Amino acid sequence: MEFDLKTIEALAPDQASLSAASKLTKRTNWPRLEKHEQQALIWGECQGSGSNPYRVVVDTGDHGYKCTCPSRKFPCKHTLALMWIAATAPASFAAANTTPEWVNDWLGRRRKTTPQPAQPVPGAEAKRIGEAAQADESTAVEDIAAEERREAAQRKRAESTREAVSAGLDELDQWIADQLRLGLSGFVDASSDRCRRIAARLVDMKAAALAGRIDEIPSRLMGLRSEERSDAAIRELGKLVLLAKAWRAAPDDPELKRLVSTSEPREQVLSSPDARQVESLWEVLGEKIESRRDGLVSHSTWLLDLKSATPQFALLLDFFPASAGRRSNAFAPGDRFNARLVFYPSRMPLRALVAERTGEVAPGAWPDFAFGTAKDPLATHASHQDAAPWIADCPLMLPPGAILLDDRGTAWWQAEDEPQGIALPIAGAVDQTLLGLDLAATAALWNGARLELLAAQSEFGRLDLA
Amino acid sequence: MRDCWITGGATFDLAPAGWKAIAGGASPDEQERRLLAIAAQALDVALRPAAPTTLKRRPPLPRLVLPILPARFRPLLRAALKHVADARRKTRVAALVASRGFVLHPMDWMPSDQTCPDVYAPWVDWQASVDGERHAPREKLTAENWDEFYPAARRLALADMRRTDPTSARMLIEAKASGEPAEVRLALVELMRFGLSAEDAPFLKSLSADRSGKVRELAGRLLARLGEHVRPSDGGPDDPVAELAAFITEGRSGFIRRRTIYTPAKLKSQAQEQRRAELFEICNLVDLIERFNTTEAEFIAGWQFGADNKADILIARMVAASGSEAALAQMADTLVAEGGKPALFVLHLMPRLDSRRKRVLIRLILKETTYLGMINLAEGIDADWLEWDDLTNGQALAALRSAAGGKDDAARRGLDDVLETIGFLATATTAAKLIDDMVEAGVPPAAPSLGLLRLNASLAGPGTNT
């Protein structure tokens, strides 16, 4: 390890970064810390504020670094924390013989530079590692009266948010009634403008999550054939009515609050007694990265519980600004790891956080899931809808089947023992090779109109389909 | 109700009684919203997509003779495939893996044409199949079951038959070729090169009346390889062989043992050079040597290599196209013995050279070092034979090290290509040693250019099959 604290001070962009980094130097923040001495590399995974851990790698030779977080500070607090641990507790790093694929990717892309002595940047002379620790201590002192004042202010803010959201939902109700009066045909054609307008109003009325959902309606409609769009519009708007009614009935329900206004902070989920915790072996099924109209990129990582007798899924969901650029993925499809997941409290818990990761496992086949005797591949979807009718995407594990083509070249999934039975249309084009494979089990998302394939098992092993 | 909503208006009166009971007792707008919510839920839970009756299933992708590459090698394979530029080089990756006893996963790579390793023929045919009615049978190809074979399987079966039972194969081609289109006919006649013998001459002569000029020309070249003349030379001024002979000067050399030598005549203009190139293309070696009243062996022995590089290339091409097997071998050995630049003209003979001579050529290129990049042009070579000594015999390794350590971008790009080709040719031990050597010389350990070498090195040892 070739770090000393002076170097880290010099590299830090400002005092705030050092202070933030000091809070991340606890061992518990880092489920993985490894080093490769021949290549002069240290790397680790830091559990940041997102669902996915941030992956950080540092070249101890020339102080080159890379972190998957969206921060615009270079180096970011995660990188500084990794260096800090290397300087103060080098024994924390387990020696590795090989470098992981994501480290190799970075090494392959980067241009090696000659080592530069760390020079303080202008305006950042006052950075002191000692001060970072002091700042931490000073915040530990709490004034009871100030705490009470803060809680009162918080209650007041919550009350005013609730009033604003309630007023926003009244406007939404009126807007939906207007769309029905004017005709859904016109709504489908002008959905982009109309949805944008009501979404902007809802943002003003502090119903940001609902606004984000409405903003995505036009693209969901346009992904369908024209003759399907009216039904889809009925479904989308009807679900909004249901969600608004449910929120009015229970405005403090955490799931409904999350879907209408904002998500609770990560710490609140982790400490919630209502949050379901599952310690198991998980496989990354696939990822969905979508740019949204509100300027955010949503990054969904779907996981499958390999120890459950029936298919159980988890969703790690992160949002980051599109302007932060492309982010490296935290997981690769097919990765397996033991972890304790904490699910956001909801009727059908799906969204989760990784609370603890204990190690990676070699890939293999999925367990034989009990698909049940029900002939309906959408039975899981129907039970999700019964419990929480506002859910848009439902993960499914489909029984043995295959992908077929219709006359227009659209791909459909169909169960193997039911050539005349239900077939589900697949979103987008599929790889032609897939048409010749028997799928023993297929993990996919059903949105009420289209199936989005995530992964499958076949006689050729695992297939990445996301 | 749907139609009413599409055009706009109230639907309450049209709703089923049960729905009315739930939705009634509110303002007209609220009634419509309630009905919309019920309809949305009904669409999601009660209705299923209507599957078209015309769904078509592709025949299952056939299993290949070799096992699929184990999952743990797939990240390395994908990295190697991602880095290589074109389909030809991707095919080379597949050939390397096939040489180690595995085939690629169909979702990683599918053969795009018939230049892939033979083991993939069932997949080539599967891709070519459109209606799924026919299948590629495994029994011996005969005139009766000719139509039951897909073109790739037929070609493969005929090539095999030409090696083991050339007479039957010829009779089959003779019987069936005339009914095929020109392109297929050309491919079938091209197979006659395997096990070509004097017995094939009558059939090849009969092709002089073929409708396709390309088939006539190919048959002529094959006949020429057997020492047969396609058309008698009239020796007149319009005879191309006579015209070509005029570009070659016959002379005598040696004091004690006089022998005949053939030197390319000095050309005076670009037009002459162009004409000479055309004549070398259209004339056959057998006609040219008859013109000089000599034999193939004497003509090649007497050719003055080094006097005119362009003429040397033309004569090498002519031998490759219409020379006998003996002439080809003599030409290759003579060029290699000449050394220097002419030795590399053996590249033009490459498609017809046997494996041993191809290897000699590659070793020569590596030893000469000056034209190291030429190994990228080598085609149809076996994978998995290049030993460490082949790199250290000459200056090849030193040249690679110097390019790796240098700052010249063009040299680095050239190095990338050469490393990729060596990644295909090398044995696993050589590949592993070369990676270490290149990393020491300055290539980043995770450089994409080392991708194929890494895959090669990993596919070795007793653990590969587990």
Side-chain angles (χ1 to χ4, degrees):
Chain A
M1 302 290 169
E2 296 170 24
F3 283 108
D4 53 43
L5 296 176
K6 277 208 162 60
T7 312
I8 299 168
E9 272 178 358
L11 283 170
D14 51 32
Q15 180 66 45
S17 297
L18 272 179
S19 304
S22 81
K23 292 175 189 142
L24 290 173
T25 52
K26 287 185 207 126
R27 185 67 184 85
T28 48
N29 287 113
W30 295 85
R32 181 175 188 177
L33 282 174
E34 287 174 352
K35 64 179 174 185
H36 193 293
E37 291 198 342
Q38 287 80 31
Q39 291 195 37
L41 288 172
I42 53 172
W43 63 90
E45 288 178 357
C46 178
Q47 196 55 67
S49 53
S51 301
N52 291 297
Y54 298 129
R55 288 178 156 172
V56 196
V57 54
V58 173
D59 186 326
T60 56
D62 62 7
H63 303 161
Y65 53 84
K66 167 77 187 166
C67 177
T68 58
C69 80
S71 168
R72 289 189 187 85
K73 287 186 179 178
F74 301 102
C76 65
K77 59 184 178 179
H78 310 104
T79 309
L80 291 171
L82 188 77
M83 293 173 174
W84 200 327
I85 299 170
T88 54
S92 312
F93 291 82
N97 294 326
T98 54
T99 45
E101 210 47 43
W102 58 273
V103 173
N104 287 342
D105 273 356
W106 174 66
L107 289 174
R109 279 200 304 271
R110 79 183 286 235
R111 275 178 176 275
K112 199 138 173 141
T113 51
T114 45
Q116 297 287 326
Q119 294 293 332
V121 290
E125 294 84 1
K127 297 170 292 175
R128 293 287 175 270
I129 276 188
E131 284 175 27
Q134 278 166 19
D136 205 18
E137 282 160 20
S138 63
T139 54
V141 183
E142 282 292 344
D143 176 14
I144 297 168
E147 176 67 24
E148 279 175 0
R149 277 200 301 278
R150 202 164 51 233
E151 280 176 9
Q154 220 165 25
R155 276 196 301 277
K156 203 175 165 191
R157 267 203 309 277
E159 186 54 40
S160 100
T161 302
R162 195 176 304 150
E163 282 168 13
V165 170
S166 180
L169 293 184
D170 288 345
E171 282 197 29
L172 177 68
D173 271 353
Q174 190 53 54
W175 178 81
I176 291 172
D178 290 346
Q179 306 315 311
L180 292 177
R181 210 175 12 257
L182 294 168
L184 292 182
S185 161
F187 168 72
V188 168
D189 293 340
S191 61
S192 187
D193 286 346
R194 293 192 195 175
C195 288
R196 189 76 277 264
R197 273 201 295 275
I198 186 68
R201 277 302 294 157
L202 288 171
V203 170
D204 293 344
M205 310 297 261
K206 299 187 177 166
L210 191 59
R213 178 175 176 154
I214 292 173
D215 251 342
E216 294 312 304
I217 289 178
S219 69
R220 288 167 81 101
L221 295 181
M222 292 309 136
L224 301 172
R225 289 208 283 260
S226 54
E227 66 267 27
E228 297 173 288
R229 289 179 193 155
S230 306
D231 274 2
I234 292 174
R235 244 186 357 251
E236 295 286 352
L237 298 183
K239 280 176 186 294
L240 294 181
V241 174
L242 284 165
L243 183 54
K245 287 192 182 307
W247 185 89
R248 281 203 189 89
D252 290 327
D253 181 286
E255 179 183 6
L256 298 169
K257 244 164 109 174
R258 203 179 306 132
L259 291 170
V260 172
S261 45
T262 51
S263 293
E264 57 273 55
R266 171 188 163 81
E267 291 67 31
Q268 193 180 322
V269 177
L270 290 176
S271 61
S272 165
D274 302 331
R276 184 168 155 243
Q277 304 211 3
V278 180
E279 194 158 354
S280 189
L281 171 61
W282 302 91
E283 177 176 311
V284 179
L285 288 174
E287 292 182 308
K288 248 175 86 178
I289 297 171
E290 291 172 319
S291 297
R292 307 191 332 162
R293 283 180 87 189
D294 57 9
L296 290 177
V297 174
S298 79
H299 182 174
S300 324
T301 307
W302 287 93
L303 305 178
L304 174 67
D305 182 348
L306 296 171
K307 285 188 180 167
S308 168
T310 53
Q312 298 293 326
F313 302 88
L315 165 66
L316 306 180
L317 183 60
D318 278 330
F319 297 97
F320 56 91
S323 54
R326 190 179 170 276
R327 275 180 64 190
S328 309
N329 300 343
F331 299 108
D335 279 358
R336 286 181 168 200
F337 52 86
N338 283 304
R340 181 164 59 84
L341 260 53
V342 179
F343 286 81
Y344 282 73
S346 65
R347 287 154 189 80
M348 302 302 284
L350 270 180
R351 190 174 169 189
L353 294 166
V354 179
E356 194 181 359
R357 250 173 93 185
T358 49
E360 286 176 15
V361 178
W366 292 344
D368 287 328
F369 290 115
F371 287 109
T373 49
K375 286 285 176 197
D376 183 2
L378 294 180
T380 314
H381 169 71
S383 70
H384 271 66
Q385 290 297 322
D386 282 346
W390 42 80
I391 291 178
D393 288 339
C394 172
L396 301 174
M397 182 60 75
L398 300 168
I403 310 293
L404 296 84
L405 289 183
D406 67 13
D407 287 344
R408 302 196 210 185
T410 305
W412 296 69
W413 173 91
Q414 193 167 47
E416 68 174 8
D417 54 352
E418 265 206 293
Q420 304 307 319
I422 296 169
L424 305 176
I426 295 169
V430 298
D431 189 315
Q432 293 296 300
T433 308
L434 197 57
L435 302 174
L437 303 183
D438 287 320
L439 309 177
T442 306
L445 299 176
W446 176 250
N447 65 12
R450 288 287 186 276
L451 201 60
E452 276 186 68
L453 303 177
L454 291 173
Q457 287 285 338
S458 72
E459 59 172 334
F460 290 99
R462 193 197 134 86
L463 310 173
D464 294 331
L465 307 176
Chain B
M1 285 175 74
R2 177 199 279 137
D3 291 346
C4 191
W5 273 330
I6 288 173
T7 50
T11 60
F12 188 76
D13 294 339
L14 305 169
W19 292 24
K20 275 183 182 168
I22 301 170
S27 70
D29 278 355
E30 178 59 17
Q31 282 178 358
E32 291 302 313
R33 278 195 297 269
R34 288 179 185 179
L35 287 175
L36 185 72
I38 300 170
Q41 187 70 350
L43 279 171
D44 244 347
V45 177
L47 298 183
R48 294 290 177 267
T53 51
T54 52
L55 285 181
K56 271 192 184 162
R57 174 91 210 262
R58 289 282 296 268
L61 187 71
R63 272 263 174 199
L64 302 182
V65 182
L66 296 177
I68 296 275
L69 185 71
R72 66 179 188 285
F73 297 115
R74 284 178 67 190
L76 278 174
L77 168 84
R78 286 176 187 162
L81 281 175
K82 195 173 159 191
H83 177 63
V84 297
D86 53 35
R88 184 176 75 92
R89 292 182 182 205
K90 286 191 200 303
T91 304
R92 240 168 33 174
V93 177
L96 169 70
V97 175
S99 77
R100 302 286 165 83
F102 296 105
V103 286
L104 305 190
H105 193 288
M107 297 295 275
D108 289 338
W109 178 83
M110 280 293 275
S112 55
D113 55 34
Q114 295 179 3
T115 58
C116 62
D118 289 351
V119 67
Y120 287 100
W123 284 4
V124 174
D125 285 341
W126 180 83
Q127 287 198 306
S129 72
V130 280
D131 52 11
E133 297 296 317
R134 295 180 300 173
H135 63 283
R138 288 179 186 276
E139 71 262 35
K140 194 180 171 198
L141 179 69
T142 61
E144 287 71 43
N145 66 13
W146 179 269
D147 292 329
E148 289 169 31
F149 278 65
Y150 283 115
R154 200 187 287 150
R155 216 170 154 268
L156 200 63
L158 275 171
D160 275 349
M161 216 192 279
R162 277 296 292 175
R163 290 186 188 105
T164 53
D165 183 5
T167 311
S168 305
R170 186 192 65 242
M171 285 163 69
L172 205 50
I173 294 173
E174 213 169 339
K176 286 293 181 184
S178 58
E180 299 285 351
E183 228 169 81
V184 178
R185 238 169 29 245
L186 187 70
L188 290 173
V189 174
E190 205 266 331
L191 292 172
M192 296 291 293
R193 69 190 159 91
F194 296 110
L196 189 69
S197 70
E199 282 182 30
D200 301 319
F203 168 56
L204 291 173
K205 277 180 186 161
S206 74
L207 292 174
S208 62
D210 195 276
R211 299 184 297 280
S212 156
K214 281 185 181 174
V215 172
R216 286 200 301 273
E217 195 179 316
L218 176 63
R221 288 195 190 292
L222 291 170
L223 271 174
R225 289 185 197 179
L226 295 170
E228 298 268 357
H229 300 279
V230 186
R231 53 167 178 254
S233 169
D234 60 12
D238 292 338
D239 180 13
V241 180
E243 197 185 345
L244 175 60
F247 280 110
I248 299 165
T249 316
E250 191 177 7
R252 307 286 288 172
S253 169
F255 292 107
I256 301 164
R257 210 170 135 240
R258 301 284 285 169
R259 63 188 185 97
T260 312
I261 58 167
Y262 302 94
T263 316
K266 287 223 165 13
L267 302 181
K268 291 175 185 149
S269 69
Q270 183 74 25
Q272 268 191 327
E273 200 171 287
Q274 211 170 341
R275 180 62 185 155
R276 183 179 71 176
E278 278 169 18
L279 290 168
F280 266 111
E281 285 289 315
I282 57 172
C283 296
N284 291 328
L285 180 66
V286 66
D287 299 323
L288 185 64
I289 57 164
E290 194 193 52
R291 179 85 201 162
F292 286 109
N293 200 18
T294 181
T295 63
E296 281 183 339
E298 282 172 0
F299 183 74
I300 291 168
W303 184 266
Q304 296 302 289
F305 289 102
D308 178 346
N309 281 339
K310 284 181 182 164
D312 291 348
I313 292 172
L314 291 171
I315 193 82
R317 279 195 198 153
M318 179 188 240
V319 172
S322 61
S324 66
E325 293 302 320
L328 190 84
Q330 187 195 353
M331 185 74 165
D333 295 343
T334 311
L335 284 171
V336 169
E338 283 286 321
K341 202 169 185 182
L344 300 171
F345 299 155
V346 185
L347 266 178
H348 296 285
L349 308 175
M350 182 67 92
R352 282 184 64 198
L353 285 183
D354 54 46
S355 296
R356 186 185 68 79
R357 286 194 167 83
K358 280 179 184 168
R359 291 176 191 197
V360 167
L361 172 62
I362 294 292
R363 290 191 176 108
L364 187 81
I365 294 172
L366 288 170
K367 204 171 173 184
E368 286 285 325
T369 307
T370 328
Y371 307 105
L372 210 50
M374 288 185 87
I375 67 164
N376 300 319
L377 303 174
E379 277 185 20
I381 314 176
D382 301 335
D384 190 20
W385 57 268
L386 194 76
E387 299 289 353
W388 185 245
D389 287 349
D390 297 326
L391 293 174
T392 51
N393 268 344
Q395 291 301 305
L397 194 60
L400 293 174
R401 281 178 188 155
S402 135
K407 291 200 165 146
D408 179 358
D409 275 354
R412 290 293 284 264
R413 276 197 297 278
L415 173 74
D416 287 356
D417 282 349
V418 173
L419 287 179
E420 194 191 301
T421 303
I422 296 178
F424 164 70
L425 300 172
T427 61
T429 322
T430 311
K433 274 189 177 175
L434 188 57
I435 293 171
D436 292 344
D437 206 276
M438 287 299 101
V439 169
E440 204 171 302
V443 176
S449 56
L450 297 178
L452 194 52
L453 281 167
R454 270 197 298 271
L455 175 69
N456 185 330
S458 71
L459 288 174
T464 309
N465 284 307
T466 55

